[in-house]
Amino acid sequence: MRETQAVRRKVQLRPVRPAGWWWDALLVAALVGLTAALAADRLFGVDRAVADWAEAHRPTAAYWAAVVFNYLGQGSPLTLIALGMGVLLAVRARSVRPVLPPVLAFVLTYLTIGPLKVWTARPAPSAGVKEPFLPAEATLPLFQHDLPVRFAQSYPSGHVANAIVWYGVIALLLAPLLATFGRTVPPSLVTVVRAVPPVVVLCTTTYLGWHWLTDSVAGLLLGLFLDRLLRRVPWDDVPLPGRLGTWNRPALFTAYGVRRRGR
C-alpha cells in the first residue's frame, strides 16, 4: 500500500495595509514619544484648551447624545459580542478557529491597556470637579501613584483602544459568519464597522471630559498597533492539536472553510 502523508500548509503572516513592520514601529515610537512628552509636562496646554472648550460647548442634548454614542467603546459588551460571534461561527463552520481571534484580542488588551493605565497613573479631566477634587493643575500630570488607582486610570483611553481592537475582530468575523447564512458583506461595510465606531468613541470620550485629548490619541496609537498584530495572524493556518479532528478546519479566510447548509 502507498503511504500518504498529510501536507501541512506553510504558516505565513497575513499582509496588512499599510504594509511593513515599520508602521508598527512608528506607532510604538509615537506612543512612547507622547508618553515621554507628558512625563516632561509637555502638551498640557493643548489638553487643557481642548477640555475647557468642550466644557464650554456641552449643552444638555449634546451631552446625552455623546454619552449614548460613547457606549460603542464599552470593552465588556464588545468582548461578549465578538466572542458570541466567534462561538456561533465555530458551531456553524464546525471549527474552533473562529474563537481564536476574540480570545487573543482579550489577552492582548488585558495585558496592555490596564497595566499602562496603572503605570502612568493619570487622573481624568473630571478629577477636578468630582472626587478626588484635585486642583486644576494637578489633574494633568502622569505618575500620580499617591492617588487611589480608581482615580488615576485615564492614560491611555481604554475606550478608544478597545473600540479599535474589538470592532476589528467583529469585522473579521462578520463576513464568514454571514456566509454561513448565504449572505455576503460589501467590503465598504466592513470598513465602516472597523473605522466609524472608534472615531465616534475618540470624539465623544474627549468631548465629555472623560479623557484628555492625549489620552485618546494614546488609545488610538495603542489600538492601531494591537489591531495590526491581530490582522497579521493567519487564523486558518495556525497549528492546532491533531485531536481536534475535523474541528481543526479553516473557517475564516479559506473559501471552503465555511460550510453552508444544504451542502
Side-chain angles (χ1 to χ4, degrees):
M1 294 180 61
R2 179 180 299 175
E3 293 184 0
T4 59
Q5 294 181 345
V7 178
R8 177 174 294 178
R9 286 178 295 179
K10 183 179 180 181
V11 178
Q12 293 182 330
L13 295 179
R14 292 183 58 80
V16 295
R17 290 186 299 175
W21 286 97
W22 70 275
W23 278 97
D24 304 76
L26 183 62
L27 290 170
V28 173
L31 178 59
V32 172
L34 178 59
T35 306
L38 292 171
D41 297 342
R42 306 288 183 180
L43 302 176
F44 287 175
V46 175
D47 275 338
R48 175 57 66 188
V50 172
D52 291 345
W53 180 92
E55 185 177 3
H57 297 80
R58 197 185 297 143
T60 301
Y63 170 83
W64 285 110
V67 169
V68 171
F69 282 114
N70 192 256
Y71 278 104
L72 291 171
Q74 289 288 338
S76 295
L78 288 175
T79 303
L80 294 176
I81 291 172
L83 182 60
M85 292 176 65
V87 170
L88 179 57
L89 177 56
V91 171
R92 294 185 62 82
R94 294 180 175 84
S95 171
V96 299
R97 293 184 181 275
V99 180
L100 301 181
V103 169
L104 182 57
F106 175 80
V107 171
L108 288 178
T109 54
Y110 181 81
L111 293 178
T112 54
I113 298 174
L116 280 174
K117 284 177 172 291
V118 174
W119 176 62
T120 54
R122 189 188 200 190
S126 57
V129 295
K130 62 181 183 181
E131 199 175 7
F133 299 103
L134 299 175
E137 66 275 6
T139 58
L140 286 155
L142 275 64
F143 308 123
Q144 299 196 47
H145 295 289
D146 55 322
L147 293 174
V149 173
R150 67 182 185 278
F151 296 135
Q153 296 190 56
S154 187
Y155 183 92
S157 169
H159 273 63
V160 175
N162 275 317
I164 294 172
V165 170
W166 287 113
Y167 282 104
V169 174
I170 290 171
L172 170 68
L173 298 171
L174 184 60
L177 177 58
L178 291 183
T180 67
F181 294 94
R183 306 292 182 181
T184 59
V185 180
S188 57
L189 178 59
V190 175
T191 301
V192 168
V193 171
R194 292 183 59 88
V196 172
V199 171
V200 171
V201 171
L202 187 151
C203 293
T204 55
T205 198
T206 305
Y207 175 70
L208 290 167
W210 293 351
H211 283 286
W212 301 105
L213 175 62
T214 50
D215 298 341
S216 298
V217 173
L220 174 69
L221 295 170
L222 177 60
L224 289 174
F225 173 70
L226 297 178
D227 177 68
R228 285 174 64 85
L229 293 181
L230 289 166
R231 290 168 64 187
R232 278 192 168 93
V233 178
W235 301 107
D236 283 343
D237 297 324
V238 172
L240 295 177
R243 61 177 176 272
L244 291 173
T246 58
W247 284 81
N248 192 6
R249 72 184 71 194
L252 292 166
F253 302 116
T254 304
Y256 298 99
V258 176
R259 296 175 60 185
R260 298 185 183 179
R261 287 185 175 179
R263 292 191 176 183

